[in-house]
Amino acid sequence: NSEPVSRTYAGVDIRTIYSDTDYKDSLSYVFSEGILIMSSKPMLVEDAIRQLKSGVSLMKDKNFSKIITTAGKNVDANVYINYKSFPDILTQFISPSMKREMNMIPDFADCSGWDVAIKPNAISFSGFTQANDSTINFLNLFRKQEPNEIGLTKVVPSKTALLLFFGISNIKLFHRDYKNYLSATQQLKLQSYEHYVEGLDKKYGISIERSMLDWIDNEMAFVMTEPASDDLTNNCYAVIHSNTIDEAVKSLNELADVAKGEGANRTEGDEKSSVNKTTDEYRNHVINYINIPQLLPQLLGWQFKKISNSYFTAIDDYVVFGNSNEALQHFIDDFENNKVLANDKNYKLFSENISGEANIYLYSSIARSATLYSTLVNEDIVKDIEEQRERFYKFEAIGIQFTINNTNKLFYSNAYLKYNPNYKQESGTLWESQLDTTVSARPYIVINHNTQTKEIVVQDDGNKLYLISNTGKIVWTKQLTEQIMSDVKQVDVLKNNKLQLLFNTRNAIYLYDRNGKEMRGFPIRLESPATNGISVFDYENNRDYRIFVACKDRKVHCYKESGEEVSGFKSQSTEAEVQMSVQYHKIDGKDHLFAVDKRGKVYIFNRQGEPLVKLKYNLPSVAANFYIEPEKDYSKTIITAADTSGNIVKMNLKGDKKSISIGRFSSRASFEYKDINNDKIKEYIFIEGNELTVFSQDETVLFNYEFKEPVSQGALFFTFPDGSGKIGVLSDKTNELYLFNENGSLYQGFPVAGKTLFCIGDLNNDGTYMLITGSSDNSIYVYQLASAPSF
């Protein structure tokens, strides 16, 4: 913002630009001997000038001189890294807790030289890294190892945020060199390692190195999946390849046995049956636990220090370690549902620009790592990440590889940074289940009465009905001839705590047991086609159900749970078709059933179908739904509805009518009437075009949100543990799902991909809540929510 200020130092003109009038921020620069030197610290510029004039340069460093000879000439830039000095730069950006980690960088290698090529939306780096042929550089552990194919992307989750891969052709040689490396660089750590191994060998009468290392082959990696919070415990895994997977599992199971007292040192009198079992089977994968803390980081190195527990399972030819049973279940879910990195379309495109094999491969999905990076950098950068999160996501990923080149004894080094302004992650689903065809209907959560966990019922566009387990397995299917009109309801018609599924189509009412068999008396073939979804009421909570459906004959019909029509019920004849479901409320201790026809006329009748109240006024003829707030007497019992222009009608059962003209809508608007902020007063919720607007009872706007495209479906409503309401919206043109907090802000992680209206529930009864929706690729998507709602 000002003219440069000049001063002379050692015969050279240094210029300084100040960004403001108080001279706090500045940039000093100088051109000398064809070199541009610049820094925000003037003293560093002076140091560089002295260095330049001294005649002593990096060219006299044998490591650097060897690297610089490999530099390309016709490139966009050359970048050099001196690993001994690199931590001094990084410490300016990292968090204090990470500074200890920087001590490992000088031991990695000596220096790297990179040719830089700037491409549209990408930067590629290629060159060589020098690591003296000695034991003091970590990279030299791979000097005698052949590079290996990066094959584990076929099992690691697609939501991987960080992958550190080691290609190892000879694990015994590698481990011997690793101990020599510890001896040369970190003598105390070698002593700690030897003490740890000797202690376990003596305690359990085993060779821990043979148990853990003999089966390892070719690939070993640390994997971290996209974290939802600062707690990374259940996001960290070790993935290790074995060409004798059965032997590997046998060896690890034996180690698990001795670690819980079933091995050589089991004291006399111990009974095998008295030992707590730690194995668990999940989706045909056995999960076991080795009760030896810090096993992986002690034997395989600091790279695995985030894995302090040793739960393990086998997936294909890989052994996967995690910190908990739950963590491995998530890993298994992704694998079984083909949500692996090799299938991720973004990673497929990215991997075309890197080598398929390496000795070391570091992959970081930047777009999945905002939370992770925030734990690594200082507060200023954390703030920048939060403020620029949308831009941050556009930096898709970076990959860095090191591969031994036996010709020049250097390590070929390449890196690729991809920027994608249109980047959109693959759905971050917990699991997916494939259907036969597309799905447009809303899924429903139902209870498995055998396990009390939840299952999912959904119908595809080919009219096939599916029952899907809480892990994504299709339990059964039924081919129907029509689309379901109603919600899917659960009843216990046999009164034995076994639940059935009840719903209707246009021409029938169906009742299926949990195994997909039709219950006796069903389906009920309707004499006249249904015009609304069924309602089911259990007046006395004794499971004597009554099923109500309105038909084209302009009558409301009532059926028993046996499938028989209730003979004593006087079917209500209506002036027009009833398209909204019948409602039931108790008012002043008496049963009241409500039906509204498409002209807005309200019918109120008792259990026998006899009229109770005849109202003077109608509701709006175009109302899509109506809401009843029952009170003890008729004058305070209010029916509320709205027309498509936002005009709200309130009527009590005494015949009083009140109209509220918000008058803000010009086209067809959908309407909901719910308490979203837990103040016991309901709000008016409208969706018109591409706009969601929530009004308070005094007609003031609580919040407003504008979608990218017009929304054709009405809003959903969910209640969370604190009593606050959440509003769900499907943007069907963009295939996005939105969940709004009571103040109009988006719930964490939203929007997410989805094609249908959705439901939310605790599928596993473990306090973890899921969102279930249909997708545009013939699948059911199940997302894990960031926190737990309650219903």
Side-chain angles (χ1 to χ4, degrees):
N1 296 329
S2 63
E3 290 295 318
V5 176
S6 296
R7 64 187 177 89
T8 301
Y9 177 81
V12 179
D13 230 10
I14 300 177
R15 297 190 175 190
T16 303
I17 300 174
Y18 294 95
S19 63
D20 48 34
T21 55
D22 56 8
Y23 298 96
K24 285 184 178 179
D25 297 319
S26 66
L27 176 68
S28 296
Y29 64 94
V30 64
F31 289 96
S32 181
E33 300 183 27
I35 297 173
L36 171 63
I37 304 168
M38 65 175 68
S39 174
S40 60
K41 299 184 182 299
M43 290 183 64
L44 291 181
V45 176
E46 294 175 5
D47 289 345
I49 293 171
R50 289 198 305 272
Q51 175 69 36
L52 195 61
K53 288 182 173 293
S54 72
V56 178
S57 74
L58 277 173
M59 293 305 296
K60 295 185 178 182
D61 182 295
K62 64 178 183 179
N63 294 318
F64 181 77
S65 62
K66 191 172 182 180
I67 286 297
I68 202 170
T69 59
T70 67
K73 305 302 180 185
N74 299 315
V75 295
D76 294 316
N78 298 107
V79 174
Y80 300 95
I81 295 178
N82 180 344
Y83 290 96
K84 309 306 179 204
S85 304
F86 198 38
D88 295 336
I89 298 173
L90 294 180
T91 51
Q92 300 178 56
F93 307 103
I94 62 172
S95 67
S97 63
M98 284 298 297
K99 289 186 178 179
R100 187 176 177 184
E101 311 291 337
M102 296 299 100
N103 296 332
M104 300 173 185
I105 292 178
D107 295 336
F108 178 74
D110 292 302
C111 57
S112 291
W114 311 76
D115 298 337
V116 181
I118 300 174
K119 305 175 180 181
N121 294 327
I123 303 176
S124 65
F125 304 79
S126 61
F128 290 92
T129 296
Q130 163 72 352
N132 268 324
D133 190 9
S134 68
T135 56
I136 62 172
N137 289 139
F138 179 81
L139 197 53
N140 274 322
L141 297 180
F142 300 87
R143 187 170 292 280
K144 300 172 186 176
Q145 304 290 330
E146 293 296 322
N148 279 280
E149 180 184 357
I150 306 165
L152 49 72
T153 57
K154 67 184 180 184
V155 299
V156 302
S158 58
K159 59 177 179 279
T160 292
L162 180 69
L163 168 67
L164 178 57
F165 166 91
F166 299 131
I168 301 167
S169 56
N170 187 326
I171 183 62
K172 290 183 179 179
L173 178 60
F174 177 85
H175 201 255
R176 186 195 70 190
D177 290 343
Y178 172 68
K179 287 191 284 187
N180 290 336
Y181 164 75
L182 289 180
S183 176
T185 60
Q186 304 171 53
Q187 187 63 36
L188 288 177
K189 286 198 174 182
L190 176 63
Q191 293 173 5
S192 173
Y193 171 88
E194 291 175 340
H195 178 75
Y196 182 83
V197 168
E198 290 170 3
L200 292 180
D201 288 354
K202 183 178 180 181
K203 180 177 182 180
Y204 297 117
I206 58 168
S207 169
I208 191 67
E209 289 183 332
R210 283 202 299 270
S211 297
M212 285 296 296
L213 302 176
D214 280 2
W215 52 267
I216 296 178
D217 175 64
N218 296 96
E219 299 175 80
M220 183 167 66
F222 171 76
V223 175
M224 183 183 294
T225 55
E226 181 176 9
S229 68
D230 293 346
D231 183 3
L232 308 175
T233 304
N234 281 344
N235 296 97
C236 298
Y237 305 92
V239 181
I240 303 174
H241 183 258
S242 176
N243 58 8
T244 56
I245 192 65
D246 291 338
E247 289 299 317
V249 172
K250 180 181 177 183
S251 178
L252 293 171
N253 284 339
E254 290 173 351
L255 185 56
D257 286 343
V258 299
K260 60 184 177 184
E262 297 182 0
N265 288 349
R266 181 167 49 124
T267 59
E268 187 174 354
D270 280 349
E271 294 295 331
K272 188 173 182 177
S273 60
S274 68
V275 180
N276 291 329
K277 298 299 179 184
T278 56
T279 57
D280 183 28
E281 185 169 343
Y282 182 74
R283 300 187 75 170
N284 297 319
H285 295 268
V286 176
I287 300 172
N288 206 347
Y289 173 58
I290 303 172
N291 188 22
I292 302 177
Q294 304 297 325
L295 183 60
L296 291 183
Q298 286 284 1
L299 288 180
L300 301 181
W302 62 268
Q303 298 88 349
F304 298 94
K305 71 175 186 177
K306 292 287 187 183
I307 306 169
S308 55
N309 295 327
S310 296
Y311 289 83
F312 69 91
T313 192
I315 297 180
D316 274 5
D317 293 331
Y318 295 86
V319 177
V320 181
F321 290 87
N323 281 315
S324 68
N325 192 306
E326 178 189 5
L328 288 181
Q329 288 184 11
H330 292 328
F331 198 105
I332 291 167
D333 281 334
D334 285 328
F335 174 77
E336 290 295 332
N337 292 296
N338 295 316
K339 297 290 289 182
V340 295
L341 199 58
N343 292 341
D344 183 274
K345 66 181 181 181
N346 293 313
Y347 184 79
K348 282 182 179 180
L349 293 173
F350 177 86
S351 61
E352 292 174 359
N353 298 279
I354 58 172
S355 175
E357 59 179 31
N359 287 118
I360 298 178
Y361 171 41
L362 175 65
Y363 167 76
S364 174
S365 174
I366 301 172
R368 294 188 183 277
S369 301
T371 302
L372 171 60
Y373 290 169
S374 294
T375 67
L376 306 178
V377 297
N378 63 38
E379 292 182 0
D380 290 339
I381 299 179
V382 170
K383 184 178 179 181
D384 289 340
I385 290 174
E386 290 301 318
E387 291 178 351
Q388 302 294 330
R389 191 170 281 257
E390 288 302 315
R391 292 184 181 179
F392 184 87
Y393 288 149
K394 297 181 188 299
F395 287 91
E396 184 178 319
I398 185 170
I400 306 172
Q401 296 177 314
F402 299 90
T403 306
I404 185 63
N405 184 312
N406 289 317
T407 302
N408 61 12
K409 303 303 180 183
L410 298 174
F411 285 85
Y412 177 70
S413 312
N414 63 295
Y416 184 72
L417 172 64
K418 186 174 182 182
Y419 177 81
N420 186 350
N422 301 312
Y423 176 79
K424 190 172 183 179
Q425 285 186 6
E426 293 283 276
S427 62
T429 53
L430 183 65
W431 54 259
E432 299 175 14
S433 188
Q434 194 79 17
L435 307 185
D436 287 354
T437 185
T438 56
V439 56
S440 302
R442 178 187 182 186
Y444 291 91
I445 295 175
V446 296
I447 298 171
N448 178 333
H449 58 248
N450 293 325
T451 64
Q452 296 305 307
T453 58
K454 308 301 191 303
E455 294 175 321
I456 298 163
V457 174
V458 70
Q459 185 183 32
D460 69 19
D461 291 337
N463 296 329
K464 182 176 283 188
L465 183 69
Y466 300 77
L467 180 68
I468 303 172
S469 75
N470 58 350
T471 61
K473 179 182 177 181
I474 295 176
V475 180
W476 53 255
T477 63
K478 288 292 174 183
Q479 185 61 57
L480 304 180
T481 58
E482 301 174 299
Q483 283 286 302
I484 296 173
M485 293 180 65
S486 67
D487 293 342
V488 176
K489 306 171 188 296
Q490 283 191 283
V491 292
D492 177 10
V493 299
L494 300 179
K495 303 181 181 180
N496 61 358
N497 297 319
K498 293 183 178 180
L499 301 175
Q500 299 84 39
L501 305 176
L502 179 65
F503 56 86
N504 75 293
T505 64
R506 181 174 170 81
N507 288 294
I509 300 174
Y510 293 87
L511 183 64
Y512 286 106
D513 69 13
R514 199 201 161 269
N515 297 314
K517 295 180 180 179
E518 291 175 343
M519 298 293 291
R520 180 178 295 180
F522 290 83
I524 302 170
R525 302 296 177 185
L526 300 175
E527 294 182 8
S528 179
T531 56
N532 70 353
I534 58 169
S535 300
V536 183
F537 306 125
D538 180 7
Y539 299 126
E540 310 296 342
N541 292 320
N542 59 1
R543 291 174 281 192
D544 285 333
Y545 301 100
R546 292 296 179 263
I547 304 166
F548 290 86
V549 64
C551 298
K552 284 192 75 68
D553 60 6
R554 291 187 287 110
K555 288 185 177 181
V556 177
H557 298 270
C558 180
Y559 295 89
K560 298 179 183 178
E561 70 274 9
S562 61
E564 301 171 336
E565 192 158 6
V566 177
S567 58
F569 181 80
K570 300 178 177 61
S571 294
Q572 281 281 305
S573 293
T574 58
E575 294 180 5
E577 291 178 5
V578 172
Q579 296 175 334
M580 293 179 277
S581 295
V582 173
Q583 294 189 29
Y584 164 74
H585 297 279
K586 261 192 183 321
I587 301 171
D588 196 19
K590 297 179 182 178
D591 298 316
H592 289 68
L593 293 147
F594 295 78
V596 178
D597 69 23
K598 65 181 183 180
R599 294 177 183 170
K601 184 169 181 177
V602 181
Y603 304 86
I604 305 173
F605 48 96
N606 63 17
R607 292 189 192 183
Q608 291 73 43
E610 299 166 338
L612 291 175
V613 182
K614 187 173 183 179
L615 297 181
K616 181 179 179 181
Y617 300 105
N618 288 356
L619 296 175
S621 61
V622 289
N625 44 34
F626 64 99
Y627 300 88
I628 298 175
E629 297 171 275
E631 293 291 345
K632 194 167 184 180
D633 59 63
Y634 282 2
S635 64
K636 294 180 180 178
T637 296
I638 307 297
I639 307 175
T640 302
D643 65 22
T644 56
S645 297
N647 298 309
I648 299 166
V649 171
K650 289 179 175 287
M651 299 192 309
N652 66 19
L653 302 195
K654 283 288 188 181
D656 301 320
K657 179 180 178 181
K658 176 184 177 183
S659 294
I660 303 170
S661 181
I662 293 180
R664 301 170 190 263
F665 303 105
S666 57
S667 62
R668 189 171 183 83
S670 68
F671 170 69
E672 302 289 337
Y673 184 50
K674 302 285 185 180
D675 177 12
I676 68 166
N677 53 13
N678 198 27
D679 62 356
K680 311 305 179 188
I681 301 173
K682 294 183 179 180
E683 282 74 43
Y684 306 124
I685 305 166
F686 287 93
I687 294 180
E688 181 208 18
N690 66 336
E691 199 168 2
L692 165 70
T693 309
V694 178
F695 297 91
S696 64
Q697 291 270 355
D698 62 7
E699 303 176 39
T700 58
V701 176
L702 292 182
F703 69 83
N704 176 273
Y705 188 89
E706 202 168 303
F707 301 96
K708 302 170 192 173
E709 296 286 345
V711 174
S712 62
Q713 302 268 15
L716 301 169
F717 185 80
F718 306 96
T719 303
F720 277 35
D722 59 0
S724 65
K726 309 295 180 191
I727 298 172
V729 177
L730 163 66
S731 178
D732 40 3
K733 289 193 176 181
T734 61
N735 281 346
E736 290 179 308
L737 309 180
Y738 292 79
L739 191 64
F740 294 93
N741 297 311
E742 60 186 84
N743 61 0
S745 63
L746 278 170
Y747 189 76
Q748 182 179 339
F750 283 78
V752 297
K755 183 186 174 185
T756 71
L757 294 174
F758 52 93
C759 54
I760 296 174
D762 181 357
L763 296 186
N764 303 309
N765 295 335
D766 60 0
T768 302
Y769 280 74
M770 315 293 184
L771 179 150
I772 300 95
T773 182
S775 76
S776 57
D777 59 358
N778 301 8
S779 297
I780 293 298
Y781 281 0
V782 176
Y783 295 93
Q784 181 175 321
L785 293 186
S787 59
S790 176
F791 305 97

